[in-house]
Amino acid sequence: MLYNTKNPHGGDIYAGKVLLDFSANTNPFGTPRAVQEAIAEALPRLHRYPDPYCRKLVAAIAERETVPEKYILCGNGAADLIYAYARAVHPQKAAMPAPTFSEYALGLLDCEISYYFLQESKDFALDSGILDFLRLEKPEVLFLCDPNNPTGRLADPKLIEAILECCRDLKIRLFLDECFLDLTKNGSSRKGFLSSYPELFLLKAFTKSYGMAGVRLGYGLSADSALLEAMSRSQQPWNISSLAQAAGIAALEQREFLQKCVETVEKERVFLSASLSGLGFRVIPSDTNYILFQARVGLADALREKGILIRNCDNYPGLCPGWYRIAVRLPEENQALIRAMQEV
């Protein structure tokens, strides 16, 4: 729980009346009914401790991802795994692009952080300059997000491979966040590189893809068993509830649900991007279910008065006040957002 600390993320619908939440970039269709039913069916077993090894869940993930079970470590959401990774590796120097997901930096205590600033003139796309940056900075670990948050940009697959080679040559660990990959049309996972690159750790989560933010469930993939053991030692034994384990197993079977979401996101993202541009805003091309754009300072506050939340991105390194991120929602919600923006 947060205590006397400002919430750095979106999704805080509890501080007042909220009619529409565009600040949290989760699946616009919410939680699949099959997942809700699996949670309900698990309720009679609440008096028992959950499986500390998540046996059935790990087996289901291994089958879905086509990786060995020994490559898998589950966590209480992606954030739990980010912090466990930081504690296990405990780097003195880390690197990451800017802007990117702020939780990476928050999890790195007593660590020097070097930022590779993405260029607005290139729509914040990751470029090959990061290779020279790594050779110069020589961090112990590099954090990347693909597609990147908050920009929504997928990296060039060849560049990711070049980064992997560079990290292997320089003995740099690579933490690659793929939590939004399932919500892209053309994204591809790097799980096929795990056995060849023990320096690689992949982060996955049920939060965004299956609308399970309130359940808290994520998992990491790595061929480095010593790393996964160290991460596990920093977690509490029963960090994955029996409800979350049941929900995860059910979610992994919802492939048609994901496909429906991707198709909707593709169509609605085009509408939102065109509408934002029509309002005179600077819009960054996105490959996933959220859009980064630049508008006047104070837009988030004005919309908040109408009961609409958008993500103010001025706390991201590399972004200044006036940058915002919105989730791609269902058609009627997206239309309501644009109407409200026109009014304010």
Side-chain angles (χ1 to χ4, degrees), residues 5 47 63 120 148 151 167 175-176 184 190 236 238 242 247 280 297 307 319 329 332:
T5 303
H47 65 291
E63 181 179 0
E120 180 186 341
N148 191 27
T151 66
C167 287
F175 182 104
L176 184 55
T184 68
R190 273 73 194 188
Q236 54 180 310
W238 298 288
S242 55
V297 175
L319 294 179
R329 306 289 309 165
E332 59 273 18

Side-chain angles (χ1 to χ4, degrees), residues 9 31-32 42 72 101 103 164 182 185 208 228 274-275 292 338:
H9 303 295
T31 312
I72 300 167
F101 187 41
E103 205 69 36
L164 275 168
D182 285 343
K185 185 177 181 179
K208 316 300 183 183
L228 298 184
S275 298
L292 179 69
I338 297 302

Side-chain angles (χ1 to χ4, degrees), residues 5 91 112 131 135 144-145 239 251 262 297 305:
T5 303
E112 176 188 350
L131 300 174
R135 297 184 187 105
L144 289 181
C145 187
N239 62 326
V262 170
V297 175
E305 293 180 1

Side-chain angles (χ1 to χ4, degrees), residues 85 89 91 93-96 108 139-143 172-175:
Y85 182 90
V89 176
K93 186 175 183 178
M96 63 190 71
L108 294 166
E140 296 165 63
V141 58
L142 170 66
F143 287 82
I172 299 171
R173 290 185 177 273
L174 175 57
F175 182 104

Side-chain angles (χ1 to χ4, degrees), residues 188-200:
S188 58
S189 174
R190 273 73 194 188
K191 61 188 177 184
F193 293 94
L194 289 169
S195 59
S196 303
Y197 293 87
E199 306 88 356
L200 176 62

